[in-house]
Every structure is written in structure tokens, then in C-alpha cells.
Amino acid sequence: MSRKQKKYGICRICGEYKELTFEHVPPETVFNKGAVRNVSLDAVINDTVKKNKLPWEINYKNGKIQQRGRGDFYLCSDCNSCTGQWYVPAYSRFVHAIQGAMQQAGEQEYESLGLKIKKIRPLPIFKQIMTMFCDINNGLMGDDSLKEYLLEKTSRSFNRDRYHLYAHIHAGALERMNGIMVQAANYGIITLSEISTYPMGFTLYIDKPQGYKPDGVDITPFSDWNYEDEEDTQIIIPKLECNTMLSGDYRTKIEIAGSKD
Ligand SMILES: [Zn+2]
């Protein structure tokens, strides 16, 4: 499709029918420039179930290549440029700091990275991540209050009972960008959406059962800060592997291969 071709639709934040603009998710400044291959869930299920293959053994050459990085026409230009100006710079700095620590760790084996980051701005980071979840899900995930929350840059009226946001360092064979899925677990029903791409992954849990402790580090407290606040912070981020298409599945290849028989 030529870049000049216009595309109209419902903006996923303001909800208005407008001309939509291409948006990188995650932002272009955080390692999302190169071509990616998109694979449908059906294709993966077909190969893993019918051909009895492990997820990373599948030949993904049938997937459609997206040359300019991950993204789509999610938002109108107003919403795209507001959230881009208000939230992306702080988010980008945060992710680059973590990627820098990953580079330092190099080939060393590690389960988590502990790092000190100077002058991070928790609220815009948090709001950028929530923007990405609204991008990849329809209708503000059934919560109209997110529109004002994201379009009022300093707003802090966020439903902390409904959402829990977890972060991890991305590892494993696949990247995932999954809209809301519902899974039955020992703890009850788990409702989650996940964006896990190099170098970081985020998992948003909706109405998480009380006793359930997800993998990753809980960054929901980032939402407690004010927009202008800047802090030196210490954070320990676990590294989690994505080797299947299933959100919240961080089993290693060995664990998956072992469970197959
Ligand atoms: Zn809009």
C-alpha cells in the first residue's frame, strides 16, 4: 500500500470516525524500525497441532512481511501526535536504559536484571504502555474512562483495582502482540493482553484474581506519580521467554518440549 493512500476508521482512543495515521507499536524509537513477519494464530495452531511441531520449529515463511516495523492504523493523527509527544520520549528513555543494561550483561546468563535508572518519569511511561494496549485492543478494552485518562496528559484517574501491569525483559523464540485473551487457571479466570517484543515485554491483567501472582515485575505503581515527576529508581526486571503464541506463557523451550509427550 502506498503511504499516500488514506485510511479512515474509528480511532481507538477518541472513538471518532476519522482519517487514521500509521503508528508504530512499540514506538519506532525503541527498536521497531526493521521488517517483521506477521504470522496468524491459525497458521501456528495448524502447524503445532496438525503437524505436531514445536512452535519454534515452524517455518514462518508464509507470514506477511511488514517492512517498516510493527504497527497499524490504530489512531487518528490528533491522538497519535498527542500521545507521541507526551508519553513516548519518557518511555523511549526507559526502554533504552534497560536495553543498555542488557547489552552490558551481554552473553552472561541471567534470570533478572537489577538496575538503577536516573531521572525516569513513571507516569508518562505508564501512559505510553496503556496507549499501546488501547491501540491493539478494540473499544478502549470496554473502559471509556481510558479515553480521558490518555487524552488529558496529567490525568491520574486510573482504575487501579481493574488493571495490573507487569513488565519483563523479552527473550525466547517469538514476539507477541496479543489482544485480550481469557484463560482458565487454578486461580480462576485470567484476563490478559500482552505486548512482548525486543527488548521489553508488558502484560496487562484485567480483574486479576487476588491470589494470582504473575511473572514479571509489577509496574502498576508507576501510575501513582504525577506527570512532571522525575525520580532516580531501582528496578529488578525478570527475563521471560516467549516460545508460544499464548499470552502469559513463559515456559522455556525445555519445559515445553518436556510437556509435549
Ligand atoms: Zn483519535
Side-chain angles (χ1 to χ4, degrees):
M1 186 170 73
S2 103
R3 285 184 183 216
K4 289 194 178 125
Q5 198 173 335
K6 291 188 173 182
K7 187 164 177 170
Y8 291 85
I10 305 281
C11 167
R12 291 194 170 176
I13 292 184
C14 68
E16 287 173 32
Y17 185 85
K18 286 168 96 172
E19 186 184 340
L20 303 178
T21 48
F22 185 87
E23 182 191 5
H24 284 87
V25 175
E28 199 175 4
T29 51
V30 287
F31 314 99
N32 184 19
K33 275 184 189 157
V36 289
R37 195 184 288 277
N38 287 319
V39 185
S40 75
L41 192 55
D42 284 351
V44 176
I45 290 171
N46 195 45
D47 276 17
T48 45
V49 177
K50 292 191 186 151
K51 297 181 187 166
N52 197 30
K53 283 184 176 172
L54 289 162
W56 54 91
E57 293 171 349
I58 297 168
N59 184 347
Y60 287 109
K61 74 171 190 283
N62 294 325
K64 195 174 152 212
I65 293 189
Q66 208 167 358
Q67 290 295 350
R68 52 177 154 174
R70 288 181 182 279
D72 210 337
F73 291 80
Y74 301 117
L75 305 182
C76 71
S77 67
D78 291 339
C79 290
N80 198 350
S81 74
C82 286
T83 56
Q85 282 169 37
W86 298 336
Y87 310 139
V88 169
Y91 173 79
S92 177
R93 236 189 121 256
F94 175 64
V95 176
H96 277 268
I98 287 159
Q99 197 262 355
M102 288 164 66
Q103 297 272 306
Q104 272 186 358
E107 298 295 304
Q108 289 173 52
E109 288 289 321
Y110 61 89
E111 286 184 359
S112 59
L113 274 185
L115 67 158
K116 288 180 188 170
I117 314 175
K118 290 205 160 150
K119 293 188 175 176
I120 78 159
R121 293 180 57 208
L123 189 68
I125 294 167
F126 187 84
K127 293 178 92 165
Q128 172 55 29
I129 301 165
M130 288 306 296
T131 301
M132 297 193 292
F133 280 109
C134 289
D135 288 333
I136 67 161
N137 283 287
N138 280 314
L140 294 163
M141 301 184 283
D143 177 1
D144 287 343
S145 76
L146 288 173
K147 173 178 163 182
E148 201 188 307
Y149 180 65
L150 295 174
L151 294 183
E152 294 283 333
K153 94 177 164 179
T154 57
S155 170
R156 294 173 60 235
S157 52
F158 178 73
N159 188 341
R160 290 171 190 79
D161 294 328
R162 185 171 197 245
Y163 304 103
H164 287 88
L165 183 61
Y166 282 71
H168 60 264
I169 287 170
H170 174 85
L174 303 176
E175 297 197 323
R176 298 196 283 240
M177 284 222 310
N178 290 334
I180 292 172
M181 289 182 175
V182 178
Q183 300 170 1
N186 294 340
Y187 303 91
I189 298 294
I190 313 281
T191 306
L192 75 173
S193 180
E194 186 184 54
I195 299 170
S196 192
T197 60
Y198 177 84
M200 285 199 77
F202 302 98
T203 314
L204 182 70
Y205 293 86
I206 300 178
D207 296 324
K208 181 176 76 61
Q210 284 232 318
Y212 179 57
K213 293 218 184 327
D215 292 315
V217 56
D218 184 4
I219 59 165
T220 320
F222 279 24
S223 65
D224 295 337
W225 297 77
N226 288 312
Y227 179 76
E228 308 291 345
D229 289 346
E230 204 171 68
E231 260 296 299
D232 294 350
T233 196
Q234 233 173 329
I235 189 166
I236 297 172
I237 309 185
K239 180 167 79 174
L240 299 176
E241 288 191 27
C242 299
N243 292 311
T244 70
M245 297 287 273
L246 199 63
S247 295
D249 180 3
Y250 305 114
R251 290 173 300 161
T252 61
K253 287 182 180 180
I254 293 165
E255 286 168 333
I256 294 167
S259 69
K260 205 176 157 218
D261 306 317

